[in-house]
Amino acid sequence: MSRLLLAAALLASPAAAYIIPATGGSGMPARPGLAGAALEFEPLSLEFEEPAAEAQSAAAFGVLAAGFGVGAVLGWLNSRKQQVAGVAAAAAMAVSPVAANAWVNYEGLEFLGGSDKVDINNANIQAYRQFPGMFPTAAAVICTHGPYNNVGDIFSIPNVDPRLLEIIKKYEKNYVCLPANPAYFIDRVNNGMYR
């Protein structure tokens, strides 16, 4: 029991220094004196009074109860990680001042992989899977260069193997060239989708 009280006292003493106000000579909290008034100082005394046993046990009980309460809250949060994360995410979305502006009405959306035509400036490398022989090498040649002004520009890419140019030429009628859109152009090689 004495070890428990000692541990509680060691844990509570730093907190007590912030909670218990400094007192002046009369036992009242110290207040700054008036301008020009003489300040009185008491000599520092190294004598300590032993607190009453009831005060010691009450302080120890308070520290233990606070520790138990914090532990209980942390245990509950740990057991409900998914729910807490969901509530935190919802609160962050509700508090955020600016909503994300998704580009829903992009005019060339169908050419990003949803039709038999592919936009050579904005479509991801995965859009070329529909053309046999194009993915991944020939599609990578198109996606790692550009932006292009017209479809014919892909045939002037330097140092391309002639066999790859034949494959690219085979599907020339399936290419369209829309202006490079910053939202899509940057993700042509890797958009984070791996299926």
Side-chain angles (χ1 to χ4, degrees):
M1 180 69 175
S2 63
R3 287 185 182 180
L4 181 63
L5 289 176
L6 179 62
L10 289 174
L11 291 173
S13 63
Y18 293 103
I19 297 171
I20 300 172
T23 58
S26 63
M28 298 294 293
R31 295 185 180 170
L34 298 174
L39 297 176
E40 297 178 17
F41 293 101
E42 291 185 18
L44 181 62
S45 171
L46 296 178
E47 298 174 13
F48 296 103
E49 294 180 20
E50 285 292 321
E54 298 91 26
Q56 279 185 340
S57 63
F61 179 74
V63 169
L64 291 176
F68 179 77
V70 168
V73 168
L74 291 176
W76 181 82
L77 289 174
N78 190 30
S79 68
R80 307 251 191 283
K81 288 178 187 172
Q82 292 285 353
Q83 291 89 350
V84 170
V87 168
M93 291 299 291
V95 174
S96 70
V98 179
N101 296 323
W103 192 328
V104 178
N105 296 326
Y106 175 62
E107 62 192 43
L109 194 61
E110 70 223 39
F111 303 123
L112 298 180
S115 71
D116 63 339
K117 303 273 187 190
V118 175
D119 179 9
I120 60 174
N121 273 334
N122 299 306
N124 186 272
I125 192 170
Q126 300 290 332
Y128 295 94
R129 282 182 173 257
Q130 62 184 321
F131 308 127
M134 281 289 292
F135 184 82
T137 311
V141 168
I142 295 173
C143 290
T144 56
H145 293 83
Y148 305 106
N149 294 324
N150 57 48
V151 174
D153 288 350
I154 60 177
F155 300 111
S156 61
I157 299 172
N159 303 324
V160 178
D161 187 337
R163 293 175 291 180
L164 290 177
L165 283 176
E166 287 177 25
I167 295 171
I168 293 171
K169 181 80 169 158
K170 180 178 175 182
Y171 299 105
E172 183 178 10
K173 64 180 178 3
N174 296 96
Y175 306 139
V176 295
C177 185
L178 297 177
N181 184 318
Y184 296 107
F185 184 79
I186 194 168
D187 291 331
R188 292 181 310 147
V189 175
N190 182 2
N191 64 354
M193 297 176 71
Y194 300 103
R195 292 186 121 208

